[in-house]
Amino acid sequence: MALEILQMECVVQGIIETQHVDALEILLQGLCGVPKEQVRIHELCLKSGPNLGVVPSEVRLLCDLVPSMPSWTVRHVGGSLRGPGAEQLSVLVRSVVESKVSSNVLRFFYGLGYKLDHEILKVGFAFNFHRGSQIAVSVTSAHKMPKLHATEDAVPITPNIHLVEITSPATAENYNEVVASVTSFCEYLAPLLHLSKPGASTGTVPSAAAAAAALMSNSVNRLL
Amino acid sequence: MGPHIVGTVSAIQEQQQQQIASEVALPPSRVERLNIAVQQQLNLESVKTRALGLSKAISRILDDFNAIAHTNGAPKWQGILGQFSMVNMELFNIVEDIKKVSKAFVVHPKNVNGENALIVPVMLSSKLLPEMEAEDNAMREHLLSGMINLPIPAQIEKLKARNDMIGTACETAEKVIADAWKAFGLGSRQVPNLVPTLDKVQAAKIQEQENQLRAAVNFGEGLKLTGDQRHPSSSLPSHLADVLNPGDGSHNFGESGAFSKNIPSFSSNPGNPQGSLMQAGQLIGRSVQSPSGVSIPASFDNASTPPMPYANSPRSGTNMMNTASPQQQQQRQKIMQIPQHQQQLLAQQQLRQPTSTTILGQGTMSQLHDFQGQAQHKFQQVPAQHQMQYSQPLSQQQIQNRHLQPAHLQHNLAQNQINQGNQLRSQLSQFTGSVNNALFNAAQTSPNSQMFGVSGGHHQRNLQPQILNDQMFGMAASSAANMVGIQNQQLGAQGGFGNVTGNSQSVQPSMPALQNSTQSQNFQQQRQQSQQ
């Protein structure tokens, strides 16, 4: 497996009420100028067993269920940028390693001694575009499985709320510019949702309903 | 309109001439910048960014239309309308941003010159148009009529009083209108708040849900399955069906899997060599309890195993040197310093440990052969290669034979074990104290030569070829029936088959007698040595 190492990534998260997701889609369609992509990802989080050393490690196996032939990705998220400079940034900058892998990756990690910790199913849509840097915006509903691997029976964790995640790859040299471009893009979404670092909660925007109504009223005839 | 433009242009030319004259007279002055605080208050950077973004978006839409016009293609209305919605939204945002600051500031260009005259709007030119100037003068005269002769402070006071009067009149008018609305039942005239505030209860609920969602996505909280949920559903989804066997994954779930190896750990305390010896003795040749209560066939591949500290770890692979660990070397040195009769006492304590038939039948015998070799080499350790063996699944014929074993074969096996015990007793009586010493030194370092295998759905132990070919077993490895018999016997000892269990248990009572006789011979031997 050829490792495609992204040294760092900038990430922000926010929430939006399910009733306003259509309006957000219209806004993103206009901002990004690219077609949206469907998202249906089965994410399995594995943790290392005692035979793999004292320091616990965690890997995430992502299975993209949208294509007819599901594709697998392994992803390891490292530590985030620390210090007073990092605290002032409105974006979380963290190290990450990601690679495309073959379908027997799950057996491989089980063989190494990793254990399944939890799994989650993400369903929604995403936009991938270039605006100062390569930015990916995903709007997903997170689902949990009532039984092991039962993706067909998955139920939403929070039916009324969708998770919005904006990520952008970066390096140690250019992360400042990437942070600036992500922050700039986040401003465009301010009428509908607030975005923050994954650790901090933001709540919903009081004016989101009015903004959503304005967006929807202008696109009533969008299916012409 | 013509004269106005001419007037404006002449004013600009006049200013330009003045500017040129001043530039000749004075060195070029520095470009004035806005005060940083004012710049931040105006939020100009953000407005500029938004405006540029809006401009680009509009350009993109126009480009799209041009492309459609050139190709005579049908426009994708969904995308275009989406972009228009975004432009509308962005324009609304920019206007809102500017509204905040436009109340407090009025912008006048410092001067108008040849470069900026074309782009500066007429309304922002530094000199007013003639009719605007006239209107302004007329208004000023009207306001200040009857006050021009008064001093400036008095003029200000009078203007303030007039302002207050106008304000009072406006308030009165507002009150009258409001009363009229109430009287006619037309409801409140107050404009509803443009920014609705969320109900506190609803806000708290959303906050809680957000925390729950973020915790689940980022840290997996609330997603860990309980015991009965860990077993995969009857049919795996298509993307996992090809990848996983039905049993995979369930015993890998969490820290407490479906089962864990229950193997005692060696004490690494060099101060207690006796305890370490005892533990080593208990471990050699003993069958580890098979997992019970596992409802699915689970492989041992993923069972958590401790890291291999030394080359002579029981899990060491082939071709590894059988070297002792530092702790074991220390223990050996300490034992060498103990007087000989104490060493023999240790040996007898070791033999008194309650053991199953497999210890005497397999473990000890194979080790005794090793110890004879070691004694001949003056107790120096010989590097040995231990080959791991994996059991092959039994053929259908062998499985049938297993169930159809005649009774006399089982009887022979029982008799065979008693014979082995007798031979073992005679072997032990020939050993001197020094060989006993070697036995317990080597007991620490000899690897556990037995592994688990899975055959026919039951856990069993593999016998090394060395043991199977041994004459003391009275059989050859090529005899399939005998081999199955031994496997049966072992399965019986572990409770694998009900009908064999009775036989294997019937062999057990003879074992303590064997142990006792062995120990008594050792005592006699020790007594003779002490007399000498």
Side-chain angles (χ1 to χ4, degrees), chain A residues 86-146:
Chain A
E87 283 169 15
Q88 287 176 357
L89 296 175
S90 57
V91 175
L92 183 75
V93 183
R94 63 190 181 190
S95 59
V96 69
V97 181
E98 200 171 63
S99 173
K100 291 283 183 191
V101 284
S102 58
S103 60
N104 62 349
V105 64
L106 191 54
R107 287 187 75 83
F108 172 73
F109 275 102
Y110 281 165
L112 286 179
Y114 279 82
K115 296 174 186 295
L116 179 63
D117 184 67
H118 64 270
E119 56 182 342
I120 193 168
L121 182 71
K122 292 179 179 177
V123 181
F125 60 88
F127 289 92
N128 288 286
F129 59 98
H130 196 278
R131 194 191 188 97
S133 65
Q134 191 63 37
I135 296 175
V137 184
S138 68
V139 182
T140 54
S141 170
H143 293 61
K144 62 180 175 183
M145 269 68 83

Side-chain angles (χ1 to χ4, degrees), chain A residues 51 107 110 115 148 200 218, chain B residues 88 214 230 248 252 302 305:
Chain A
N51 59 321
R107 287 187 75 83
Y110 281 165
K115 296 174 186 295
L148 190 67
N218 286 316
Chain B
N88 178 45
R214 283 187 185 237
R230 285 181 190 173
D248 272 358
N252 281 308
N302 300 324
T305 48

Side-chain angles (χ1 to χ4, degrees), chain B residues 145-198:
Chain B
S145 59
M147 286 193 282
I148 295 173
N149 300 328
L150 295 172
I152 299 293
Q155 285 184 18
I156 291 168
E157 285 299 321
K158 282 212 168 194
L159 286 171
K160 274 187 178 177
R162 189 176 288 182
N163 268 349
D164 290 343
M165 276 172 58
I166 293 166
T168 310
C170 286
E171 280 178 18
T172 309
E174 278 284 327
K175 194 177 179 186
V176 169
I177 293 166
D179 290 343
W181 274 77
K182 276 183 185 176
F184 291 105
L186 297 173
S188 171
R189 276 187 71 246
Q190 288 182 342
V191 180
N193 190 1
L194 288 174
V195 180
T197 54
L198 287 170

Side-chain angles (χ1 to χ4, degrees), chain A residues 68-210:
Chain A
S68 55
M69 195 69 186
S71 62
W72 288 81
T73 305
V74 64
R75 179 176 168 82
H76 174 265
V77 176
S80 56
L81 209 63
R82 297 184 185 281
E87 283 169 15
Q88 287 176 357
L89 296 175
S90 57
V91 175
L92 183 75
V93 183
R94 63 190 181 190
S95 59
V96 69
V97 181
E98 200 171 63
S99 173
K100 291 283 183 191
V101 284
S102 58
S103 60
N104 62 349
V105 64
L106 191 54
R107 287 187 75 83
F108 172 73
F109 275 102
Y110 281 165
L112 286 179
Y114 279 82
K115 296 174 186 295
L116 179 63
D117 184 67
H118 64 270
E119 56 182 342
I120 193 168
L121 182 71
K122 292 179 179 177
V123 181
F125 60 88
F127 289 92
N128 288 286
F129 59 98
H130 196 278
R131 194 191 188 97
S133 65
Q134 191 63 37
I135 296 175
V137 184
S138 68
V139 182
T140 54
S141 170
H143 293 61
K144 62 180 175 183
M145 269 68 83
K147 293 202 81 174
L148 190 67
H149 305 323
T151 49
E152 300 305 318
D153 308 325
V155 289
I157 296 168
T158 51
N160 305 324
I161 289 177
H162 274 57
L163 182 76
V164 180
E165 203 165 14
I166 299 179
T167 56
S168 183
T171 61
E173 291 77 33
N174 77 341
Y175 74 85
N176 276 313
E177 291 89 330
V178 175
V179 166
S181 62
V182 170
T183 308
S184 169
F185 181 77
C186 290
E187 279 188 24
Y188 290 104
L189 306 180
L192 284 175
L193 76 152
H194 292 315
L195 291 145
S196 67
K197 294 178 183 179
S201 60
T202 53
T204 53
V205 180
S207 61

Side-chain angles (χ1 to χ4, degrees), chain B residues 274-294:
Chain B
Q274 184 176 343
S276 298
L277 275 170
M278 302 282 271
Q279 285 182 338
Q282 286 170 10
L283 194 64
I284 291 170
R286 176 163 296 181
S287 61
V288 180
Q289 189 176 1
S290 64
S292 57
V294 181

Side-chain angles (χ1 to χ4, degrees), chain B residues 207 259 420:
Chain B
Q207 176 84 19
F259 54 83
Q420 289 163 22

